[in-house]
Amino acid sequence: MPMASYIRVLHASPDSPAVDVYANERTLAKTLTYRNFTEYIPLQEGNYNIKVSLSGSQGEAIVQDNMRVYPNSIYTVAVIGMQRKICIMPISDLIASVGLNINLKLVHLSPDTANLDIGLQNGTNLFKDVPYCETTNYITLPSGTYTFQVKVTDTDNVVLTVPNQKLTSPKVYTGYIVGLSNSNPPLQMLTPLDGSSYLNTNDSPSGKLIIDSKKADVNGDQVVDTVFLSGDKPDPTSPFTENLSVCVEDGKNNKIICTVPPSNAGYNANLFLGDFNDDNVADILIRIESGGSGGYLFAYVYTVLNNRLVNIFDYEDFNANSQYQVNFMDNYLVEVTQINNQNTFSIDLSNRKEEFSDIYDENGKLIQPLQGSVLPLGGLIPQDTDNDGNFELIAIQRIIGRFNAETLGYVKTTLDWDGTGFTTIKTEIVTSIDQF
């Protein structure tokens, strides 16, 4: 028999009194007050009607919604929004692997607060442009005590400072931004442990599980669908997953369609849903890290067309069309030339003279001809660069010199949908990963 999935409840509705929460009439929470969580409760897979009622109201629902609990999964169900617009938001707390570091994701649950950037007090940005009701992917941090700063996106307006957050590894956390910017209760960041830190959901020695899941309308029928990425984990302690597949459960009729990406094994596989092909319907971005020192990325974008998952971006096609020659030149310059169209960019190494003193003489003349290279796709970032509601793809390739660890910079390529495929609208060279 498969092991149970797990679910807990968070009360994040800032103006609502205590609530009771039920799943198919089973009690998940009783007299749960704002900012509080229940413990994780085991549930078997299946379809559940989640009902929220005010405590003491004899079970009369103020909101209810249907939720599919997938096998071997871990969820937080958040009760969110102001009481007049209260709703239920399932959040996946499952991570492919708990490694040696802290794993942290962020969920924006403040109904009157604009998009947020969340970083550290020293200026390091962790999460960028997070809208209300958005759940980020997990990032990793070393164990330590942190002071987080929460800003309105693209401003210096710090709306919340969260000091002395002691996070220890190897554990998994979520930061929930709750409360209100312009009223009481004020903004606050809750950072509880996620169930992935201590719950076992594997149902077989191979460790087959749901790696990631997200919700959006992906087939255009204006009903929210569930997209999930599943695979096998030969070693439960490793972030490596194989036999990956992506599936869509139709929110209207619960029918499921699936496909297997051509490269279907790797590390830290994850999903992002957003409109890439300008049809006002979410598409599916899959990213899988290759592992190893190269830092390569396997990435695909799928759209649902006529009840099929159709691949509209393939990392192998991108790599074939994004090749470069890298030549060291006199005067501490490196020329990066795009093979397909001969566009040439320059990198200035004059601020790294000591590092390259063995290949340049005292006058900055190259001692002998030397080449570097541009690696294949290493990162793919969805970004609404023109604020039109449609996402572009920011592709990242690392530029190396004499050896893999010698990073000279990065090729940053912005790709946009042109009606039939993704086309390059901008290519630039940046010297720091902070410029993405």
Side-chain angles (χ1 to χ4, degrees):
M1 176 181 291
M3 297 185 70
S5 296
Y6 294 87
I7 190 169
R8 70 178 172 186
V9 181
L10 163 64
H11 185 331
S13 174
D15 68 338
S16 295
V19 297
D20 302 333
V21 182
Y22 306 89
N24 289 356
E25 307 305 325
R26 177 180 175 181
T27 301
L28 299 181
K30 198 73 174 174
T31 320
L32 184 67
T33 55
Y34 172 66
R35 298 186 309 179
N36 286 307
F37 294 81
T38 66
E39 298 294 327
Y40 283 100
I41 299 167
L43 283 180
Q44 295 299 323
E45 68 169 298
N47 295 314
Y48 290 87
N49 178 257
I50 307 296
K51 183 175 72 171
V52 178
S53 62
L54 299 181
S55 294
S57 64
Q58 286 74 50
E60 182 180 350
I62 56 173
V63 64
Q64 57 185 321
D65 200 356
N66 294 323
M67 175 183 174
R68 173 73 174 173
V69 173
Y70 291 96
N72 316 312
S73 296
I74 306 172
Y75 300 94
T76 294
V77 172
V79 180
I80 66 170
M82 306 301 284
Q83 187 175 345
R84 67 182 183 277
K85 293 185 178 179
I86 199 166
C87 57
I88 299 165
M89 179 179 172
I91 300 161
S92 174
D93 291 338
L94 192 65
I95 188 170
S97 173
V98 181
L100 298 178
N101 291 316
I102 297 160
N103 294 274
L104 175 69
K105 73 175 187 291
L106 188 104
V107 186
H108 181 346
L109 298 181
S110 172
D112 73 338
T113 303
N115 291 14
L116 295 174
D117 295 343
I118 295 87
L120 302 180
Q121 197 171 35
N122 64 10
T124 301
N125 192 58
L126 302 178
F127 303 101
K128 174 72 173 174
D129 198 18
V130 183
Y132 177 54
C133 291
E134 180 73 14
T135 301
T136 71
N137 293 319
Y138 285 98
I139 62 169
T140 57
L141 294 170
S143 187
T145 300
Y146 292 91
T147 294
F148 296 101
Q149 282 194 334
V150 182
K151 297 181 180 180
V152 174
T153 295
D154 295 330
T155 74
D156 294 323
N157 180 20
V158 178
V159 294
L160 179 64
T161 298
V162 189
N164 302 322
Q165 297 295 294
K166 186 176 181 180
L167 307 180
T168 58
S169 59
K171 292 181 180 176
V172 185
Y173 299 85
T174 295
Y176 295 90
I177 304 296
V178 300
L180 300 170
S181 291
N182 302 303
S183 185
N184 286 318
L187 286 179
Q188 184 176 356
M189 182 174 172
L190 312 174
T191 53
L193 274 178
D194 284 357
S196 293
S197 297
Y198 52 89
L199 294 173
N200 180 12
T201 62
N202 294 344
D203 68 347
S204 70
S206 68
K208 189 172 180 63
L209 50 76
I210 304 295
I211 305 302
D212 195 8
S213 66
K214 295 283 190 297
K215 284 181 173 288
D217 174 20
V218 295
N219 60 17
D221 65 358
Q222 300 183 343
V223 176
V224 172
D225 309 300
T226 301
V227 182
F228 55 94
L229 190 63
S230 64
D232 292 314
K233 286 177 63 62
D235 178 359
T237 66
S238 168
F240 177 79
T241 311
E242 62 187 6
N243 301 324
L244 288 161
S245 62
V246 59
C247 297
V248 175
E249 182 179 31
D250 192 315
K252 184 177 289 186
N253 57 29
N254 298 121
K255 291 183 178 179
I256 295 176
I257 58 173
C258 298
T259 192
V260 176
S263 295
N264 65 344
Y267 296 79
N268 301 315
N270 64 84
L271 295 170
F272 176 90
L273 306 185
D275 183 11
F276 292 100
N277 63 356
D278 303 347
D279 63 355
N280 298 316
V281 178
D283 304 300
I284 303 164
L285 168 63
I286 305 169
R287 290 170 292 190
I288 309 163
E289 297 170 13
S290 68
S293 60
Y296 306 139
L297 185 74
F298 310 141
Y300 305 94
V301 176
Y302 288 92
T303 191
V304 177
L305 183 65
N306 297 326
N307 203 37
R308 293 186 303 115
L309 283 159
V310 178
N311 187 353
I312 60 174
F313 176 88
D314 189 312
Y315 78 97
E316 291 188 289
D317 293 336
F318 172 83
N319 288 339
N321 292 308
S322 300
Q323 299 186 28
Y324 295 82
Q325 289 182 336
V326 178
N327 294 299
F328 285 79
M329 311 295 288
D330 291 339
N331 300 314
Y332 298 97
L333 293 177
V334 175
E335 285 191 351
V336 181
T337 302
Q338 194 167 10
I339 293 174
N340 289 357
N341 58 26
Q342 298 301 305
N343 284 339
T344 298
F345 307 88
S346 293
I347 299 174
D348 184 358
L349 300 178
S350 59
N351 63 340
R352 300 168 64 180
K353 288 182 180 180
E354 184 175 347
E355 183 180 347
F356 294 100
S357 61
D358 58 332
I359 65 173
Y360 286 100
D361 66 19
E362 60 185 10
N363 298 313
K365 184 175 178 61
L366 194 65
I367 295 173
Q368 62 183 17
L370 190 63
Q371 290 188 324
S373 59
V374 173
L375 300 182
L377 184 68
L380 195 64
I381 302 170
Q383 196 171 98
D384 185 3
T385 58
D386 49 9
N387 297 313
D388 65 352
N390 302 311
F391 286 90
E392 289 73 48
L393 291 170
I394 309 299
I396 304 163
Q397 296 171 267
R398 192 159 61 94
I399 307 166
I400 64 171
R402 296 161 290 179
F403 43 85
N404 183 61
E406 189 172 77
T407 300
L408 305 179
Y410 303 85
V411 179
K412 177 182 176 183
T413 305
T414 303
L415 304 165
D416 195 17
W417 186 259
D418 67 0
T420 58
F422 287 94
T423 186
T424 299
I425 59 173
K426 186 177 183 181
T427 302
E428 55 191 313
I429 302 296
V430 298
T431 55
S432 170
I433 201 164
D434 294 333
Q435 295 173 266
F436 298 130

